[in-house]
């Protein structure tokens, strides 16, 4: 597992998709992109959509994602995305009482149980106490990280 903190945008793309029966149907699909602005997010998803769409497509929605950190899996069978709210237990210095602070994460996995394991793998390396408040599968199909060109001309995710 690796985690990546960035400014993420959820983008919806509508395009003509070939159905199993051979017919064409306009379908909306949700993608997440790493970008600094709405304009950059639209540009990134447009570039990616050009690779999988055979006809015309429209970017129909762009919004800031409710999470800033994504947990990426190295397992090729992990093809689903889960949104999780994790509550960190914080001690209030003034009152001495415990408080909960919620943080949203997007986690790559192939099942709900493995998504929980992936969260544990990343967060158990820290020193803070936490608990999973909620976790649910999303309709996100893929996540596109911002690419930079290396001196050799190969694209690499930014860190």
């Amino acid at each position: 597992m690796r985690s990546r903190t960035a400014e993420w945008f959820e983008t919806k793309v509508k395009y003509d998709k070939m159905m199993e029966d051979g017919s064409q149907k306009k379908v909306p699909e949700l993608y997440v992109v790493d970008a600094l602005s709405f304009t950059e997010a639209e540009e990134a998803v447009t570039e990616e959509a050009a690779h999988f769409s055979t006809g015309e497509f429209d970017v129909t929605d762009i919004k800031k994602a409710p999470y800033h950190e994504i947990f990426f899996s190295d397992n090729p069978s992990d093809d689903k995305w889960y949104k999780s709210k994790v509550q960190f237990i914080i001690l209030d210095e003034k009152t001495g009482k415990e408080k909960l602070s919620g943080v949203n994460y997007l986690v790559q996995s192939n099942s709900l149980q493995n998504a929980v394991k992936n969260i544990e793998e990343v967060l158990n390396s820290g020193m803070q106490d936490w608990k999973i408040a909620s976790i649910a599968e999303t309709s996100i199909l893929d996540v596109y990280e911002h690419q930079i060109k290396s001196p050799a001309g190969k694209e690499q995710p930014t860190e």
Side-chain angles (χ1 to χ4, degrees), residues 100-128:
L100 298 176
S101 175
V103 178
N104 293 314
Y105 295 103
L106 190 64
V107 183
Q108 188 177 21
S109 181
N110 61 5
S111 70
L112 184 66
Q113 295 81 3
N114 284 337
V116 171
K117 287 180 188 174
N118 289 347
I119 292 168
E120 289 172 345
E121 181 182 326
V122 174
L123 296 182
N124 280 342
S125 62
M127 301 292 282
Q128 202 165 5

Side-chain angles (χ1 to χ4, degrees), residues 38-62:
F38 286 90
T39 303
E40 191 176 282
E42 182 177 19
E43 182 181 321
V45 77
T46 298
E47 184 177 319
E48 293 298 334
H51 297 297
F52 61 78
S53 174
T54 56
E56 291 186 24
F57 60 88
D58 295 310
V59 178
T60 59
D61 190 29
I62 301 174

Side-chain angles (χ1 to χ4, degrees), residues 63-83:
K63 61 182 178 181
K64 284 192 175 191
Y67 38 80
H68 289 286
E69 191 167 1
I70 295 180
F71 300 159
F72 292 91
S73 173
D74 298 323
N75 185 343
S77 69
D78 289 347
D79 60 351
K80 297 177 186 170
W81 293 95
Y82 293 83
K83 181 179 171 185

Side-chain angles (χ1 to χ4, degrees), residues 21-36:
D21 64 2
S23 65
Q24 293 268 348
K25 183 178 179 184
K26 202 146 192 96
V27 295
E29 293 185 340
L30 188 61
Y31 298 92
V32 173
V33 295
D34 167 16
L36 297 174

Side-chain angles (χ1 to χ4, degrees), residues 84-98:
S84 176
K85 182 171 186 170
V86 174
Q87 293 181 323
F88 289 92
I89 301 166
I90 301 171
L91 186 64
D92 186 325
E93 293 178 15
K94 293 179 182 176
T95 64
K97 294 183 180 181
E98 289 184 350

Side-chain angles (χ1 to χ4, degrees), residues 10-24:
E10 291 181 348
T11 60
K12 193 175 289 182
V13 177
K14 226 178 198 182
Y15 70 99
D16 289 327
K17 184 175 185 177
M18 181 70 72
M19 305 311 286
E20 290 180 14
D21 64 2
S23 65
Q24 293 268 348

